[in-house]
Amino acid sequence: MNQHTVKAYGDELNQLTAEVARMGGLAEAQVADAVESVARRDIALARAVVERDAKVDAMHRDIEKKAIRLIALRQPVASDLRKTLAAMKLSVDLERTGDLAKNIAKRALSLAETEPMQPLTRSIERMGKLVSMRLRDVLDAYTASEIDRAMAVWASDDEVDEHYNALFRELLTYMMGDPRTISACTHLLFMAKNLERIGDHATNIAEVIHYEITGDEMTGERPRWTPTPGDWDADSGHLPTPPPATTT
């Protein structure tokens, strides 16, 4: 290829990476705003998150089309092919992350109609901030091609799972103690699950970054949180121990 063609090819690859980074920034903002709408009971912000999801979807479609066109016309190989495939894979994870943020925002709208439950809302906020931090770190690792930073996110996946299981137990305890909280706790329960799945997508992104940089698939088993007796575990179905009855 002549010098002009090589430059144009390089520009297309760099533009694809830049567009994935922009999509990542929007998805990250969607998650942060969705969690903030829950914490502040902010109906306007929750609606804004729902409406912005269409932009995330549009960016996903655009990245996918450009990646397919680049493969068809440029026939990239080796690291260039991995970079192109990584852009496509990441756009899928980011689109699904946007969908999960939208789901949280929709639940926030319903939760705003119920009585405030500050302790539980703060628990969701803490988990949301942890997941947002993981997502930001892995997207920064993608932009800077820092494999160590990506692997740090991959290795910390169990921390998100631990928060989810602890919150699940807390919510179940509330519902068993006071049936009037079931409706609100159900919304919070789905929010927690959505955040846990966003954490999984951050881990997926870390694995894609590893493949893009090294050319090797991740073969090790993901870190997995092991519940202690009495904890809720979504896989085994163990229920938490109800709080002891109080005497007067």
Side-chain angles (χ1 to χ4, degrees), residues 133-189:
M133 183 175 66
R134 294 286 184 273
L135 187 59
R136 180 175 63 251
D137 284 348
V138 81
L139 290 171
D140 287 346
Y142 171 69
T143 302
S145 296
E146 294 180 353
I147 190 169
D148 290 343
R149 194 169 184 178
M151 289 301 93
V153 173
W154 184 87
S156 63
D157 180 61
D158 58 340
E159 188 176 356
V160 175
D161 293 340
E162 184 176 352
H163 270 73
Y164 169 66
N165 281 277
L167 183 51
F168 207 140
R169 180 182 183 181
E170 185 179 8
L171 288 165
L172 222 56
T173 301
Y174 263 84
M175 287 189 282
M176 289 189 296
D178 186 354
R180 292 173 299 178
T181 67
I182 289 177
S183 178
C185 286
T186 300
H187 289 302
L188 291 166
L189 190 59

Side-chain angles (χ1 to χ4, degrees), residues 77-116:
V77 296
S79 61
D80 290 346
L81 179 58
R82 295 200 304 271
K83 181 177 287 190
T84 306
L85 293 176
M88 292 181 67
K89 289 181 177 181
L90 263 60
S91 70
V92 172
D93 278 304
L94 292 172
E95 188 272 335
R96 290 175 180 169
T97 295
D99 286 343
L100 294 167
K102 179 181 69 174
N103 291 344
I104 293 172
K106 285 183 175 180
R107 295 279 177 183
L109 292 172
S110 298
L111 194 65
E113 299 175 357
T114 65
E115 289 295 319

Side-chain angles (χ1 to χ4, degrees), residues 194-205:
N194 286 335
L195 288 171
E196 188 265 341
R197 290 176 64 192
I198 292 171
D200 285 342
H201 284 298
T203 306
N204 290 345
I205 292 171

Side-chain angles (χ1 to χ4, degrees), residues 165-166 169 225-233 236-242:
N165 281 277
R169 180 182 183 181
W225 176 76
T226 302
T228 56
D231 283 337
W232 167 268
D233 177 31
S236 68
H238 295 312
L239 291 173
T241 303

